[in-house]
Amino acid sequence: MQSLVRWNRRVFCFLALLLAVPFPALAQKAVVEESVTEINCDSRTHAVVHYRRVTTILNAQGASLASFVCSVGGNDRLTSFRGSVTDGSGQVIRKLRENDLKYTEYSPYLAIDEHQEYLEYTPPTYPVTVTYEWTIDSHDNLIEFPRFCPQTDYDVSVKKAVYRLTVPKSMEIRHATQNISQTVMMADSSKYSKTLVLALGPLPPLCREPYSRPLGERCPVAYFTPSDFVYYGTRGSLRSWNDYGLWEYSLINGSEALPEDVCQRLHQLTNGLSDREKVAALYQELGKTTRYVAILLGIGGQRPASAAGVCRSGYGDCKGLSNYMRAMLKEVGIPSYYTTISTRNRRLLPDFASVGQLDHVILEVPLPGDTLWLECTNPRLPMGYMHEDIAGHDAVEIGPKGGRLVRLPAYADTANVMHSGVRVEVDGSGAAEMILFREWSNWQYEQYASLLSMDGKERQEALLRMLKVPQTEIQIFNLHDDGASLAVDAGISCQRYATVTGQRLFLPVSPFRRSYDVPSTVGGRQEDVWLETGYADEDDITLVIPDGYAIEAMPRAVTLQQPFGEFHFTIRPEGREVRIKSRVLIKAGSYDKSLYPDLSAFAKAVGSAFSQKIVIKKNIIP
């Protein structure tokens, strides 16, 4: 899709913490003194947009706000630019001109008609006030007008912000707001034009709080679109999501034809298979024969490459690959729906259709008794697996009768499981031999999928980071991926599993690294507690104590029940063995901010339980 709705895949990373610790809130770093967006649209294909932004930067935390960047693509041109920097006394310390701008076409995409013009500036002192004014001339791509979002970062207040849109009198404009109580006013009207105005301010800073909704769901935003548009020669309507879908369907209709030899090969691959087996075979074929490469040129930012073109070249973006998969399924008699979705926003505005709310394309395959959602840009994921950027998100199903709002299912908290089984045999010196099995499913699978692309040494290093015992060496390491879960089994030697003190050994109840620190909110919490993803971590640990030792002290069982989570910890001796079972369940959802201290106490209690030790003492024979 176009740059304003571009999808950037998230890099897989390891989670060392089950409850992540966000950055603490900082003091206010900047004030937007003035933010003005003025749009003069004289036809369905041409508009001039003028911006003015005045920002006082209070400290080094806001230094990045002193720089300027403008993305210009397609038929847009930056026609003017000027800026200035003044110190705390109002004295101008630097003037900024168009020849100070730098130009780059760097992009991770193979082909894109967008470039950036930017200026990097670091204030020499604080406070400073930075003013930027610039104008963009836009042709043939007015599928929507620039959105109004004057507050784009934490710890930044806004004194005054104004959005002014002037359009021909005959042009019908639709708008929607998020986190805004003010109404859009009709300020001026003449024989030929009308002006819509939205004024905001003052706006207090949004504080960065742990476990709160994403910034994009908290900041004030207004959207403006023409009810009917002309976009690179195509005509469409945004009066409803159904109308939007009609336009999208016009871009893909007729693009699914495949060469005859390819059609024959697809039938050979799928003859005699059930519908689900056919989908699996073609999804595997997609993964083997194509790769993801984005090409965003003109209308190509919205229209997918033809199925034949993707087949011939072997690459495509989310649109092209999904359309190619749609074409292959159609050839073998299985209907599917090209589906647009947002990887950023969980919810779409139900009564306001706009392209800017969407940034990705997937494929919906309705089968009897089940619906598969195919991520065609990464067929290495299990067929039908909904990754964290789309699970539970709203989407628009595109069909010949138009668009239909749908919602992808989200995995149940209890389905996102990490299960660990480990047997630890300890000797009298405190050393131990461990046999470990750990399995991840669904969302947990996704978090650790980077193991698959690592070499042997990197995988061993990753496993060692999961353990909290020193002087550890991995003897055996096997990784298993069955397409639905990821599992590790390993043999591990530990020179210092237990601490030796005289005749006693102090044995950790768990060999895994655990941290459950939740920072406190200074000055009272503003936002409700938001836990985006629920999951369960289950441990089944067997500790085998050495001959000649007896248990002297052992932790107690722990049970915690809260609206947002549960924790169960049991410990039971069985001869020379001690069986330890634990289960942490985090429940996704929104919870009243009054529960935040309980969340903090819950995390600390769980952390304390895992930090306990079993004390065993050597038997002394008189």
Side-chain angles (χ1 to χ4, degrees):
M1 288 187 162
Q2 285 286 60
S3 58
L4 75 159
V5 289
R6 179 181 303 136
W7 178 56
N8 290 318
R9 285 296 298 134
R10 188 171 302 171
V11 177
F12 288 124
C13 63
F14 278 95
L15 295 183
L17 311 179
L18 294 179
L19 296 176
V21 182
F23 294 106
L26 299 172
Q28 184 171 342
K29 59 189 178 186
V31 178
V32 176
E33 309 284 354
E34 184 181 15
S35 174
V36 177
T37 302
E38 291 187 339
I39 305 166
N40 289 293
C41 174
D42 55 26
S43 72
R44 295 191 189 280
T45 59
H46 178 250
V48 176
V49 186
H50 181 75
Y51 299 93
R52 173 178 167 84
R53 190 171 179 92
V54 182
T55 307
T56 296
I57 301 168
L58 304 175
N59 49 52
Q61 283 71 39
S64 62
L65 299 174
S67 297
F68 171 84
V69 61
C70 175
S71 295
V72 182
N75 294 331
D76 296 341
R77 291 185 304 113
L78 180 67
T79 58
S80 70
F81 169 83
R82 65 179 180 178
S84 65
V85 182
T86 59
D87 62 18
S89 65
Q91 182 177 352
V92 177
I93 57 177
R94 181 169 177 182
K95 288 187 176 293
L96 303 167
R97 298 176 175 82
E98 195 165 346
N99 58 11
D100 293 318
L101 293 176
K102 297 179 181 179
Y103 177 97
T104 179
E105 291 183 336
Y106 173 77
S107 168
Y109 303 101
L110 177 65
I112 185 169
D113 56 8
E114 180 180 282
H115 68 271
Q116 287 188 336
E117 298 190 42
Y118 66 98
L119 186 153
E120 295 177 334
Y121 180 75
T122 301
T125 185
Y126 299 97
V128 297
T129 299
V130 181
T131 301
Y132 289 119
E133 291 191 62
W134 68 103
T135 303
I136 293 178
D137 191 282
S138 181
H139 287 269
D140 296 328
N141 58 358
L142 296 183
I143 197 169
E144 59 188 7
F145 296 104
R147 69 174 186 162
F148 185 41
C149 186
Q151 196 169 28
T152 58
D153 202 357
Y154 292 107
D155 308 312
V156 177
S157 63
V158 178
K159 284 188 178 180
K160 178 183 177 182
V162 179
Y163 188 94
R164 185 176 288 107
L165 171 61
T166 300
V167 298
K169 194 113 182 223
S170 60
M171 182 180 287
E172 183 180 339
I173 300 298
R174 303 184 74 247
H175 65 268
T177 60
Q178 171 185 297
N179 301 318
I180 293 176
S181 58
Q182 290 88 337
T183 58
V184 177
M185 307 296 292
M186 186 70 72
D188 299 302
S189 182
S190 68
K191 182 178 179 180
Y192 302 105
S193 66
K194 57 187 176 183
T195 300
L196 288 75
V197 176
L198 177 60
L200 302 179
L203 302 174
L206 295 172
C207 296
R208 185 192 299 267
E209 292 185 315
Y211 306 104
S212 61
R213 291 175 301 151
L215 179 64
E217 295 185 14
R218 298 176 58 191
C219 60
V221 183
Y223 303 90
F224 296 82
T225 67
S227 295
D228 303 291
F229 63 85
V230 177
Y231 184 76
Y232 287 97
T234 68
R235 293 179 177 271
S237 170
L238 290 170
R239 296 174 186 272
S240 67
W241 285 113
N242 183 74
D243 289 347
Y244 157 80
L246 287 172
W247 176 70
E248 280 282 2
Y249 187 76
S250 74
L251 300 182
I252 66 173
N253 189 29
S255 65
E256 61 269 36
L258 291 168
E260 183 59 32
D261 61 324
V262 173
C263 294
Q264 293 177 5
R265 180 164 54 84
L266 297 180
H267 285 288
Q268 291 172 358
L269 278 173
T270 58
N271 282 341
L273 301 180
S274 67
D275 283 355
R276 189 179 184 91
E277 290 170 339
K278 288 179 180 179
V279 178
L282 295 183
Y283 188 65
Q284 185 178 34
E285 177 72 4
L286 179 74
K288 290 192 300 185
T289 60
T290 64
R291 60 191 177 93
Y292 173 79
V293 176
I295 302 177
L296 308 177
L297 298 172
I299 186 64
Q302 295 294 327
R303 173 180 283 155
S306 68
V310 174
C311 178
R312 182 176 57 254
S313 65
Y315 59 76
D317 59 10
C318 61
K319 304 181 302 298
L321 294 172
S322 296
N323 188 53
Y324 179 38
M325 185 67 188
R326 181 177 76 97
M328 290 194 292
L329 290 171
K330 181 179 180 180
E331 178 59 33
V332 299
I334 298 178
S336 62
Y337 293 98
Y338 186 88
T339 302
T340 56
I341 193 170
S342 172
T343 60
R344 302 184 307 265
N345 306 314
R346 294 177 298 113
R347 298 290 166 259
L348 301 177
L349 299 172
D351 299 320
F352 183 79
S354 68
V355 176
Q357 294 182 68
L358 305 157
D359 64 354
H360 189 43
V361 174
I362 58 175
L363 196 67
E364 176 190 2
V365 186
L367 296 176
D370 189 18
T371 295
L372 297 176
W373 304 91
L374 301 184
E375 175 54 90
C376 299
T377 59
N378 187 5
R380 290 185 300 276
L381 292 174
M383 183 186 73
Y385 172 71
M386 293 166 291
H387 56 80
E388 63 179 322
D389 285 342
I390 61 174
H393 285 215
D394 289 347
V396 186
E397 172 193 283
I398 307 299
K401 295 183 179 181
R404 184 173 74 96
L405 277 179
V406 295
R407 182 169 297 175
L408 274 65
Y411 293 109
D413 302 334
T414 52
N416 298 320
V417 180
M418 177 173 68
H419 178 78
S420 303
V422 61
R423 182 178 178 86
V424 184
E425 296 193 18
V426 185
D427 66 23
S429 68
E433 296 293 324
M434 287 197 295
I435 299 174
L436 167 68
F437 174 80
R438 174 168 276 190
E439 183 177 31
W440 301 275
S441 300
N442 295 326
W443 178 78
Q444 300 262 28
Y445 171 102
E446 187 175 350
Q447 304 311 305
Y448 289 89
S450 56
L451 279 168
L452 296 171
S453 60
M454 295 180 182
D455 61 29
K457 181 179 180 181
E458 290 172 329
R459 289 174 178 174
Q460 292 199 17
E461 290 174 349
L463 179 59
L464 290 175
R465 288 193 294 270
M466 300 177 201
L467 303 172
K468 66 177 182 181
V469 288
Q471 298 184 18
T472 300
E473 182 178 347
I474 298 174
Q475 307 292 342
I476 301 171
F477 187 100
N478 295 305
L479 183 66
H480 312 278
D481 177 24
D482 65 4
S485 63
L486 183 67
V488 163
D489 62 75
I492 302 167
S493 296
C494 308
Q495 297 303 311
R496 287 177 50 204
Y497 184 85
T499 302
V500 181
T501 303
Q503 302 298 316
R504 293 177 174 83
L505 294 181
F506 294 79
L507 284 66
V509 297
S510 172
F512 303 118
R513 188 173 301 279
R514 292 284 195 267
S515 181
Y516 295 89
D517 182 27
V518 176
S520 59
T521 301
V522 179
R525 187 172 177 90
Q526 297 181 5
E527 277 278 305
D528 284 343
V529 174
W530 169 246
L531 301 177
E532 183 170 3
T533 305
Y535 55 90
D537 287 350
E538 301 171 346
D539 290 351
D540 189 345
I541 301 169
T542 300
L543 292 177
V544 183
I545 65 176
D547 286 332
Y549 282 79
I551 296 173
E552 184 177 64
M554 193 165 56
R556 294 181 178 178
V558 179
T559 298
L560 302 173
Q561 297 272 2
Q562 290 287 356
F564 47 77
E566 300 175 7
F567 176 59
H568 303 278
F569 176 90
T570 61
I571 184 167
R572 184 177 74 252
E574 297 177 353
R576 288 182 54 227
E577 297 182 352
V578 180
R579 292 292 302 276
I580 302 161
K581 292 188 177 183
S582 65
R583 185 172 189 262
V584 180
L585 173 64
I586 300 299
K587 302 176 183 179
S590 180
Y591 304 93
D592 190 270
K593 60 185 178 183
S594 63
L595 289 175
Y596 184 78
D598 295 331
L599 175 64
S600 180
F602 177 88
K604 291 174 182 176
V606 175
S608 296
F610 280 118
S611 66
Q612 296 179 103
K613 289 183 170 58
I614 300 168
V615 183
I616 61 175
K617 184 178 181 181
K618 190 173 184 178
N619 295 323
I620 300 176
I621 300 174

